[in-house]
Amino acid sequence: MKTSDFNFDLPEELLAEHPSEHRDEAKLMVLNRKTETIEHKLFKDVVDYFDEKDLFIFNNTKVFPARLYGNKEKTGAKIEVFLLRELDKETRVWDVLVDPARKIRIGNKLFFTEDESLVAEVIDNTTSRGRTLRFLFDGSYDEFRTKLKELGETPLPKYIKRAVEPEDAERYQTIYAKIEGAVAAPTAGLHFSKHLMKKLEIKGIDFAEVTLHVGLGTFNPIEVEDLSKHKMESEEIIIDEKNADIINKAVDAHRRVCAVGTTTMRALETSVSSNKKISAFNGWTNKFIYPPHDFGVANSMITNFHTPKSTLLMMIAAFAGKDFIMHAYEEAVKEKYKFYSYGDAMLIL
């Protein structure tokens, strides 16, 4: 399989700048893998495709406000700092991306507040844009995290050119988000409203949760033509015994098991054993799923519409069949479905 096999023309106006007015009223394209048929619905119609005791598996990661703006000492130049991950809690050392990066060297200091209560020192270069920062803050760890939240901004993807708006803090977060650690939302889950969750519950549908803290690697372009040479960035996964048990029971009973999002699917495929059982898991994954791939747990999935040549498009092509997916995407462009994080949704059965 080659990267160029997953290219298609995506008009810029189909990249969603805003979410749909109501979470569950985005458009929904329903793909049936057996019959290779396509239906056009609204997201709230998803309830019609599932029965009592079927299972939805959600990624309960929570996005933190990872984008900060600081000023470089002496010059006062404005620098964007994107928090990727905490490396050391005690010393407040973080992996970050900086922009513009050419101005930021080891030893530089960045000031985030007028009163200099939060300062960071650059202690390492990791990639062309990557740096390691040590934050200097006179207060407890909890106070430090509160300060980061106060100053941080919802980390909308770069393709959204508008400024962050107050509603983004709520809409770029799933309603079931619990465990903080993602720098990007698991976007398929953004379509679930409290009302829709209630309807699923009333129908007797079961829920399980896994945690995969979404990293920016999700958006990294593939720079090689041969897919087997692409390296994914690692993301942290947590699946506890209780949820592993719920998932295994549904699989054993041959229920419809729906992975909500590519991140949920990656977590499941990382922790499934050769006998198709999910084990409790606490660790990291850099699993790259592309065709052909034998999926071990979910037999249906919900996902958004992804950009050309992306790892996410490759995963769903592995799940639904490459030709069928590329045909569905042609249809999506024709029918003006919205793409990417705030876009419309697809249900693959």
Side-chain angles (χ1 to χ4, degrees):
M1 279 279 166
K2 300 198 296 288
T3 302
S4 54
D5 293 338
F6 297 90
N7 202 11
F8 64 94
D9 285 328
L10 177 58
E12 203 167 308
E13 70 269 16
L14 295 186
L15 288 171
E17 286 270 314
H18 290 89
S20 58
E21 193 184 345
H22 300 291
R23 283 183 188 266
D24 56 15
E25 287 185 357
K27 291 204 281 192
L28 177 70
M29 182 185 277
V30 183
L31 270 55
N32 187 311
R33 293 181 291 168
K34 272 204 185 101
T35 56
E36 294 216 338
T37 50
I38 295 174
E39 294 177 281
H40 302 287
K41 301 282 187 178
L42 288 179
F43 193 80
K44 58 188 178 187
D45 300 326
V46 80
V47 70
D48 301 334
Y49 293 89
F50 294 87
D51 295 317
E52 192 179 349
K53 294 292 171 206
D54 285 345
L55 179 69
F56 275 73
I57 308 171
F58 298 104
N59 178 7
N60 66 10
T61 187
K62 190 173 189 179
V63 180
F64 65 90
R67 192 173 273 129
L68 304 171
Y69 294 94
N71 296 98
K72 194 177 164 190
E73 64 177 335
K74 297 191 179 112
T75 68
K78 187 180 180 183
I79 306 293
E80 178 189 304
V81 173
F82 195 102
L83 301 172
L84 290 177
R85 67 176 65 127
E86 186 174 49
L87 298 178
D88 189 324
K89 201 171 162 172
E90 297 301 306
T91 55
R92 297 174 191 173
V93 171
W94 284 71
D95 252 346
V96 305
L97 296 176
V98 292
D99 192 22
R102 65 183 187 283
K103 297 182 172 181
I104 302 302
R105 300 191 172 88
I106 294 172
N108 285 162
K109 283 205 170 101
L110 298 171
F111 293 86
F112 295 93
T113 52
E114 290 281 314
D115 62 0
E116 300 184 8
S117 59
L118 184 68
V119 181
E121 185 182 2
V122 182
I123 58 173
D124 200 7
N125 291 338
T126 50
T127 61
S128 60
R129 286 182 57 215
R131 301 289 183 272
T132 307
L133 298 187
R134 180 188 289 116
F135 283 96
L136 311 166
F137 177 77
D138 193 14
S140 70
Y141 177 74
D142 287 344
E143 287 166 335
F144 165 62
R145 288 302 295 246
T146 301
K147 181 58 90 178
L148 287 185
K149 267 196 196 138
E150 259 170 43
L151 298 171
E153 184 178 278
T154 303
L156 292 183
K158 280 286 192 194
Y159 80 88
I160 293 179
K161 301 288 189 271
R162 63 175 174 80
V164 171
E165 294 165 11
E167 73 153 3
D168 290 312
E170 182 211 342
R171 290 303 301 272
Y172 196 64
Q173 192 82 271
T174 63
I175 59 163
Y176 46 76
K178 281 187 190 138
I179 301 170
E180 200 169 75
V183 297
T187 55
L190 297 179
H191 301 292
F192 286 85
S193 63
K194 288 196 170 78
H195 183 63
L196 179 58
M197 294 291 272
K198 201 74 201 150
K199 277 172 82 172
L200 292 167
E201 220 176 280
I202 289 164
K203 199 165 181 181
I205 290 159
D206 292 329
F207 301 150
E209 292 182 356
V210 299
T211 306
L212 182 143
H213 291 315
V214 190
L216 274 195
T218 293
F219 303 119
N220 279 359
I222 297 185
E223 284 164 354
V224 289
E225 180 62 354
D226 176 354
L227 294 187
S228 65
K229 305 260 190 311
H230 178 66
K231 296 277 181 286
M232 294 285 280
E233 278 186 33
S234 291
E235 294 173 311
E236 190 179 7
I237 294 177
I238 305 149
I239 302 176
D240 62 25
E241 291 282 1
K242 183 183 132 202
N243 282 287
D245 196 38
I246 294 169
I247 296 164
N248 289 333
K249 281 185 176 142
V251 172
D252 289 346
H254 305 291
R255 306 304 313 179
R256 185 165 267 173
V257 175
C258 183
V260 177
T262 54
T263 58
T264 299
M265 188 68 95
R266 187 180 296 119
L268 296 173
E269 290 301 302
T270 297
S271 56
V272 69
S273 60
S274 53
N275 65 356
K276 309 270 168 119
K277 285 275 187 276
I278 287 283
S279 309
F281 187 93
N282 194 333
W284 294 77
T285 182
N286 61 356
K287 195 172 189 66
F288 176 26
I289 299 171
Y290 59 94
H293 181 84
D294 180 23
F295 288 83
V297 185
N299 48 29
S300 60
M301 79 180 288
I302 291 169
T303 184
N304 275 24
F305 286 90
H306 307 296
T307 46
K309 301 198 283 193
S310 60
T311 59
L312 308 176
L313 175 57
M314 291 164 190
M315 181 197 286
I316 63 162
F319 189 70
K322 179 188 162 288
D323 293 344
F324 186 29
I325 278 294
M326 296 314 279
H327 166 63
Y329 267 54
E330 265 174 49
E331 182 97 348
V333 170
K334 201 170 81 198
E335 295 292 330
K336 301 210 170 353
Y337 275 74
K338 291 288 194 182
F339 279 67
Y340 225 26
S341 304
Y342 271 156
D344 293 314
M346 177 186 273
L347 167 64
I348 306 170
L349 300 169

